[in-house]
Amino acid sequence: TTEGSVHKYVRHVCLQGGHDPFAQDLHDTVKNLLFHTEDLYECTAELLNLHISIASHRSGHLLYLLTILTVFFLPITFISSLYGMNFETMPELKWPHGYAYVISLMLLSMALTALCLWYGGFICRPKGSSAAATEL
C-alpha cells in the first residue's frame, strides 16, 4: 500500500541516522490523506445505503397502490368473466334488463370493495388515524 511504502522510506531514512523533515512531512500527509479517503469511503457507503432504502420505499409504495387497484377491480373481473362465457342456461341473458342488472352488480361490488378498503384504512384515511397500513 501507499502508506506502507512511505513508512518504509521514513524508516530507511531514520536508520541511516538522518532526520529528514521531508520524509516525516510526506508520512504525515499520506496518513492524513488515507484518513480522509476512509472517511469518504464510509460516507459513500452510507449514501448508497440511503439510496437503496429510498428506492425500496418507493417500490413498496408502488406495490401497495397496485395491490389496492387489484383488490378494487377483482370482483368486476370475476363478474365480467362469468358473463363473458355466454352460457345459454344463464337466465339473466334473456331478461329484458339483464345488462342493467349486471352493470348494477358490478357497481355495487366496486362500492362495497371501496367501502371495505376505506373502513380498513387502506384508502383515503384521515391524518393521524390508526390504520392497518400506517407504515406505508
Side-chain angles (χ1 to χ4, degrees), residues 83-101:
Y83 283 94
M85 292 182 197
N86 293 327
F87 292 124
E88 291 191 25
T89 58
M90 295 175 90
E92 299 90 17
L93 295 176
K94 307 269 193 266
W95 293 353
H97 300 291
Y99 186 70
Y101 290 135

Side-chain angles (χ1 to χ4, degrees), residues 53-71 122-123 125 133 135-136:
S53 176
I54 289 172
S56 175
H57 180 72
R58 286 181 184 163
S59 298
H61 188 67
L62 179 64
L63 287 175
Y64 174 78
L65 291 176
L66 290 174
T67 303
I68 294 296
L69 286 175
T70 302
V71 167
F122 293 103
I123 57 173
R125 62 181 182 268
E135 66 271 358
L136 294 176

Side-chain angles (χ1 to χ4, degrees), residues 9-10 13 18-29:
Y9 174 71
V10 170
V13 168
H19 181 70
D20 188 7
F22 172 73
Q24 188 61 39
D25 187 40
L26 179 65
H27 185 261
D28 293 341
T29 303

Side-chain angles (χ1 to χ4, degrees), residues 19-83:
H19 181 70
D20 188 7
F22 172 73
Q24 188 61 39
D25 187 40
L26 179 65
H27 185 261
D28 293 341
T29 303
V30 168
K31 278 181 128 179
N32 192 14
L33 286 174
L34 287 174
F35 173 76
H36 287 296
T37 303
E38 289 174 5
D39 191 39
L40 287 174
Y41 178 77
E42 290 174 6
C43 288
T44 305
E46 289 175 9
L47 285 174
L48 182 62
N49 287 336
L50 180 64
H51 176 72
I52 291 171
S53 176
I54 289 172
S56 175
H57 180 72
R58 286 181 184 163
S59 298
H61 188 67
L62 179 64
L63 287 175
Y64 174 78
L65 291 176
L66 290 174
T67 303
I68 294 296
L69 286 175
T70 302
V71 167
F72 193 70
F73 287 107
L74 188 65
I76 300 168
T77 306
F78 176 69
I79 293 169
S80 64
S81 67
L82 282 180
Y83 283 94

Side-chain angles (χ1 to χ4, degrees), residues 75 79 101-115:
I79 293 169
Y101 290 135
V102 171
I103 295 294
S104 300
L105 180 64
M106 288 181 180
L107 291 175
L108 179 67
S109 70
M110 284 176 61
L112 287 175
T113 303
L115 193 64

